[in-house]
Amino acid sequence: MDRRKLVVGNWKMNGLAAQLGEVEAIGAFAAAHPSVDVGLCLPATLIAQASAVSGAAFIGAQDCHMKDSGAHTGCLSAAMLTEAGATSTIVGHSERREDQGESDADVAAKALAARAAGLKVILCVGESLAVRDAGDAEAVVSRQLLASLPDGAAADWLAIAYEPIWAIGTGRIPTMDAVAAMHAALRAALATRIGTQADGMRILYGGSMNGDNAAELMAIADVDGGLVGGASLTAAKFAPVIEAAG
Ligand code: PGA
């Protein structure tokens, strides 16, 4: 199955208008690498301005609410993000699962809300270090994935990001064998729910991916791209990751 590589930056709570030049440079680099799908999931405050300068890179959000509207102070609906210029959103990032207490059911509901507003979705899963050390990582993350997967999940609007929590922002990554085994396990888990659609669904790796390790990670058969935090904040750091996917 030929899956186009997808490389997405996650800026988290970083970025002011002063960084729009980086968005523009990343968009220009993406235009020069048309075989790779490139996107940036930005703070919502930057989405409208970034959409105007992002060229070949799509602009996404980092979360959306599961409801269309209502009394949810400080939250943003999927339609608001779409109107601002987002074409995709992350849901279920481990930082939100932990900081905001989001459950698997919340994540599935958010994915459906995003889909209903026309957003593509990057759904994150991943294990803690305790789970990894206990030797249960593949079973635990497979269960988490199936519990978070929205009804009607399909490869044309949803991608998975496997992000071991202990690898995020730490400079540590699993062994290549461990990444390969996890991605194969997740694809097999997907197949139990969505059958042959699982072959076309992109499964990204995330957690300390950078220009030094991206080529090796993305050469793994079931790794279809990356979700990149720290190494996506500047064009200089992100360009080698995009290049590694091409
Ligand atoms: P990192 O973050 O690349 O800085 O480890 C990845 C993520 O949390 O999506």
Side-chain angles (χ1 to χ4, degrees):
M1 169 59 69
D2 196 22
R3 294 177 295 266
R4 272 174 71 83
K5 290 278 197 289
L6 171 61
V7 177
V8 181
N10 172 14
W11 278 22
K12 309 190 181 187
M13 199 172 71
N14 298 290
L16 296 167
Q19 277 75 54
L20 287 168
E22 299 294 343
V23 174
E24 193 168 356
I26 290 165
F29 197 81
H33 294 76
S35 65
V36 184
D37 291 336
V38 177
L40 288 172
C41 291
L42 299 178
T45 47
L46 282 182
I47 287 173
Q49 293 171 84
S51 300
V53 300
S54 66
F58 67 81
I59 297 299
Q62 299 170 10
D63 175 56
C64 69
H65 201 275
M66 66 274 273
K67 299 254 175 65
D68 292 342
S69 62
H72 303 287
T73 301
C75 297
L76 296 171
S77 73
M80 291 169 183
L81 299 167
T82 305
E83 186 177 72
T87 58
S88 72
T89 187
I90 296 169
V91 296
H93 192 282
S94 60
E95 287 154 14
R96 292 199 59 88
R97 289 177 184 265
E98 199 170 304
D99 297 352
Q100 274 74 35
E102 292 182 1
S103 67
D104 292 335
D106 293 338
V107 173
K110 284 167 180 254
L112 282 181
R115 168 67 173 150
L119 295 174
K120 295 190 175 178
V121 171
I122 300 152
L123 192 165
C124 301
V125 293
E127 83 284 0
S128 65
L129 190 56
V131 167
R132 169 62 57 182
D133 287 346
D136 290 338
E138 285 151 35
V140 168
V141 180
S142 295
R143 277 201 300 276
Q144 184 190 35
L145 172 58
L146 293 181
S148 307
L149 200 68
D151 289 342
D156 61 348
W157 67 273
L158 188 109
I160 309 300
Y162 164 59
E163 299 202 304
I165 297 167
W166 51 274
I168 294 174
T170 61
R172 294 178 61 196
I173 61 170
T175 64
M176 296 298 151
D177 284 351
V179 174
M182 178 64 79
H183 280 239
L186 295 181
R187 198 174 303 285
L190 284 171
T192 68
R193 183 71 60 79
I194 61 171
T196 53
Q197 277 267 0
D199 293 337
M201 191 167 280
R202 292 182 286 194
I203 306 178
L204 316 183
Y205 170 81
S208 297
M209 183 182 268
N210 58 42
D212 294 333
N213 59 30
E216 198 179 359
L217 284 161
M218 289 195 275
I220 296 170
D222 282 302
V223 176
D224 306 311
L227 183 57
V228 185
S232 72
L233 293 174
T234 65
K237 285 187 181 160
F238 202 27
V241 181
I242 297 168
E243 194 132 53

